[in-house]
């Protein structure tokens, strides 16, 4: 850009159609302009195309020609002569808003609260329209730890007040560098609690469920609760394990989530306070890289009511995540953990991004973000993967579906 050049911002709007860009740049080329920035978006067939140029003349002749040229293709054009050519700084955070639906009131609340903190919205794009609506806001916030904490706090309050899910992540390369994800199994990757399914076969479901709920709320030690629950299964025929394994129901969106993450180069695994014998088949089917779970003791074809080996409790889950990360050479800040109960607290705290999925209050309080909709593929939207990208990849593989996949 020369010292005497004039900056001109050209904004074209109207129905999206072939030839618009060609006509626009044909006019620009006749005035020997230099391109400084270009951005285009299409929403429901309506085009908005912005071009910032440096013009060696005062810009008035360019404005006149652009107005005449764009009229020939049915487009409106706005020309701002002397526009600020300053380069926009990189966004500091990504804020993802998920809802069913996301109301205008909710987005207004998000914008208003961010404005009070001096946070600027740089761009907004839709990342999903099904099974939830997802909007991704790239924003610039004051670069202090206190400001970061304030942003997360006020948006968490908005999420509760407006009945939406809001995730806040640091922007830039760090967000796109995630490479390892670990899921809890019971009530996260699969629906329900495996121990309760086994207990139903033994006729002690109510007793076991009460202990499970107490442990998930963090009211009793997980290890002790596990021993109490497994003891009720003593004498159960081991064939019941296969029966339960065959009847596991994946959480809606789980298969889509795992398949997409693997395409993106993620290492995927599960860390469960449940039982390896039940989930190994599912892990193999999903082509998971890691499995850590408890092992039921079986003697003479019967469950003894005991577990063998080290217990996968709250601390062990975090240890497993660190072990998996070390095995594949992924720094902890590039890991993601997803869970629903108090037993997942240490694991989510250890991960670079901890996601509470339909979680108990004890976990929601410490997680980086919380999801309240029953679709696991919302995890993809938090990571910046759009529904269109998922479906386009599925179409290439011949897996075109428009339902939450199990």
């Amino acid at each position: 850009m020369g010292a005497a050049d004039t900056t001109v911002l050209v904004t074209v709007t109207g129905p999206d159609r072939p030839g618009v860009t060609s006509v626009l740049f044909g006019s620009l080329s006749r005035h020997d302009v230099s391109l400084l920035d270009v951005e285009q978006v299409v929403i429901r067939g309506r085009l908005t195309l912005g071009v910032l140029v440096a013009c060696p003349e005062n810009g008035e002749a360019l404005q006149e020609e652009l107005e005449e040229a764009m009229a020939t293709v049915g487009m409106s054009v706005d020309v701002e002569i002397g526009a600020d050519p300053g380069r926009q700084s990189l966004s500091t955070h990504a804020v993802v808003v998920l809802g069913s639906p996301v109301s205008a009131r909710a987005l207004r609340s998000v914008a208003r609260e961010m404005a009070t903190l001096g946070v600027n919205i740089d761009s907004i794009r839709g990342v999903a329209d099904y099974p939830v609506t997802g909007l991704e806001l790239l924003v610039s916030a004051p670069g202090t730890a206190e400001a970061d904490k304030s942003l997360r706090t006020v948006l968490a309050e908005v999420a509760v007040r407006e009945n939406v899910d809001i995730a806040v992540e640091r922007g830039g390369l760090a967000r796109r560098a995630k490479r390892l994800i670990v899921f809890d199994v019971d009530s996260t990757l699969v629906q329900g609690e495996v121990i309760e399914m086994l207990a139903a076969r033994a006729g002690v479901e109510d007793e076991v469920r009460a202990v499970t709920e107490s442990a998930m709320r963090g009211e009793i030690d997980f290890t002790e609760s596990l021993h109490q629950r497994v003891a009720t299964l003593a004498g159960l025929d081991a064939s019941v394990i296969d029966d339960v394994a065959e009847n596991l129901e994946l959480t809606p969106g789980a298969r889509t989530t795992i398949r997409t993450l693997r395409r993106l180069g993620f290492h995927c695994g599960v860390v469960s306070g449940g039982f390896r014998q039940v989930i190994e088949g599912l892990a193999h089917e999903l082509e998971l890289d890691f499995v850590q779970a408890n092992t039921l003791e079986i003697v003479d074809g019967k469950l003894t009511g005991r577990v063998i080996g080290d217990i996968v409790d709250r601390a062990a889950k975090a240890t497993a995540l660190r072990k998996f990360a070390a095995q594949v050479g992924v720094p902890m800040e590039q890991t993601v953990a997803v869970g629903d109960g108090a037993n997942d607290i240490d694991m989510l705290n250890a991960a670079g991004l901890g996601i509470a999925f339909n979680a108990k209050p004890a976990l929601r309080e410490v997680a980086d973000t919380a999801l309240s909709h029953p679709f696991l593929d919302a995890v993809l939207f938090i990571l910046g993967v759009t529904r269109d990208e998922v479906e386009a990849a599925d179409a290439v593989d011949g897996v075109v579906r428009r339902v939450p996949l199990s």
Side-chain angles (χ1 to χ4, degrees):
M1 178 174 174
D5 287 352
T6 301
T7 55
V8 179
L9 175 62
V10 181
T11 306
V12 174
T13 58
D16 187 28
R17 62 184 58 168
V20 172
T21 303
S22 175
V23 170
L24 172 62
F25 282 90
S27 294
L28 293 174
S29 67
R30 286 189 284 274
H31 290 262
D32 196 28
V33 304
S34 300
L35 293 177
L36 300 178
D37 198 4
V38 180
E39 188 165 345
Q40 174 177 310
V41 64
V42 178
I43 301 177
R44 304 297 185 189
R46 297 287 297 182
L47 169 71
T48 299
L49 171 58
V51 183
L52 182 67
V53 302
C55 183
E57 53 197 51
N58 64 16
E60 293 179 358
L62 173 62
Q63 178 176 4
E64 183 177 344
E65 178 171 342
L66 286 172
E67 289 173 348
E68 293 177 356
M70 300 319 297
T72 66
V73 287
M75 305 296 285
S76 300
V77 62
D78 179 74
V79 179
E80 180 185 343
I81 300 173
D84 182 3
R87 186 174 181 83
Q88 182 175 316
S89 60
L90 292 175
S91 302
T92 61
H93 294 75
V95 177
V96 178
V97 183
L98 302 174
S100 185
V102 175
S103 66
R105 169 179 163 172
L107 195 59
R108 180 197 66 181
S109 295
V110 169
R112 183 174 57 199
E113 295 296 342
M114 289 197 296
T116 63
L117 296 174
V119 176
N120 184 65
I121 300 175
D122 302 324
S123 66
I124 303 176
R125 67 165 180 162
V127 293
D129 62 356
Y130 186 83
V132 295
T133 299
L135 299 175
E136 179 188 75
L137 289 66
L138 297 183
V139 306
S140 297
T144 66
E146 183 177 346
D148 186 88
K149 182 178 180 180
S150 296
L151 177 61
R152 295 174 187 276
T153 300
V154 299
L155 292 185
E157 294 170 354
V158 171
V160 173
R161 188 168 67 244
E162 301 295 346
N163 194 31
V164 292
D165 292 335
I166 301 178
V168 180
E169 257 199 285
R170 295 293 302 185
L173 292 176
R175 186 182 185 214
R176 298 194 296 272
K178 302 291 191 300
R179 284 296 173 265
L180 168 66
I181 187 165
V182 168
F183 297 89
D184 173 46
V185 175
D186 294 359
S187 299
T188 301
L189 191 65
V190 304
Q191 300 181 60
E193 299 286 324
V194 167
I195 185 85
E196 293 177 12
M197 300 174 197
L198 293 170
R201 271 67 171 183
V204 291
E205 186 176 11
D206 291 342
E207 178 183 344
V208 166
R209 181 182 293 114
V211 178
T212 298
E213 292 176 351
S214 182
M216 294 298 283
R217 291 191 298 266
E219 296 171 352
I220 61 174
D221 175 75
F222 175 82
T223 299
E224 176 58 29
S225 74
L226 181 68
H227 287 310
Q228 288 182 23
R229 290 175 291 172
V230 173
T232 66
L233 306 178
L236 195 63
D237 194 284
S239 63
V240 170
I241 292 176
D242 293 334
D243 178 48
V244 170
E246 291 174 1
N247 287 280
L248 289 178
E249 291 187 33
L250 285 165
T251 298
R255 199 178 301 276
T256 298
T257 302
I258 299 294
R259 181 175 64 246
T260 302
L261 290 171
R262 290 183 60 80
R263 285 171 174 159
L264 292 172
F266 273 71
H267 301 280
C268 303
V270 291
V271 182
S272 175
F275 310 110
R276 177 178 289 272
Q277 293 103 315
V278 177
I279 64 177
E280 274 190 329
L282 179 62
H284 178 74
E285 178 187 341
L286 295 175
E287 300 182 63
L288 300 180
D289 302 296
F290 311 104
V291 178
Q292 186 85 9
N294 293 304
T295 302
L296 292 165
E297 183 181 60
I298 301 172
V299 175
D300 297 329
K302 302 288 185 181
L303 274 64
T304 66
R306 295 187 293 270
V307 291
I308 56 177
D310 295 332
I311 299 297
V312 180
D313 59 7
R314 173 172 160 173
K317 284 194 166 189
T319 299
L321 174 61
R322 293 188 181 95
K323 180 182 72 174
F324 296 159
Q327 287 177 2
V328 294
V330 172
M332 288 301 294
E333 57 267 24
Q334 295 179 6
T335 66
V336 182
V338 187
D340 75 302
N343 200 37
D344 299 310
I345 288 176
D346 290 4
M347 181 172 72
L348 266 65
N349 276 334
L353 175 64
I355 301 175
F357 181 74
N358 291 304
K360 309 300 185 293
L363 186 63
R364 294 178 67 94
E365 290 174 3
V366 303
D368 294 308
T369 188
L371 297 173
S372 59
H373 294 87
F375 309 105
L376 199 61
D377 38 2
V379 169
L380 297 173
F381 311 144
I382 297 297
L383 296 174
V385 182
T386 70
R387 169 60 69 182
D388 286 346
E389 289 170 332
V390 173
E391 293 187 352
D394 283 346
V396 170
D397 289 347
V399 191
V400 182
R401 300 184 177 109
R402 190 62 173 173
V403 297
L405 301 179
S406 61

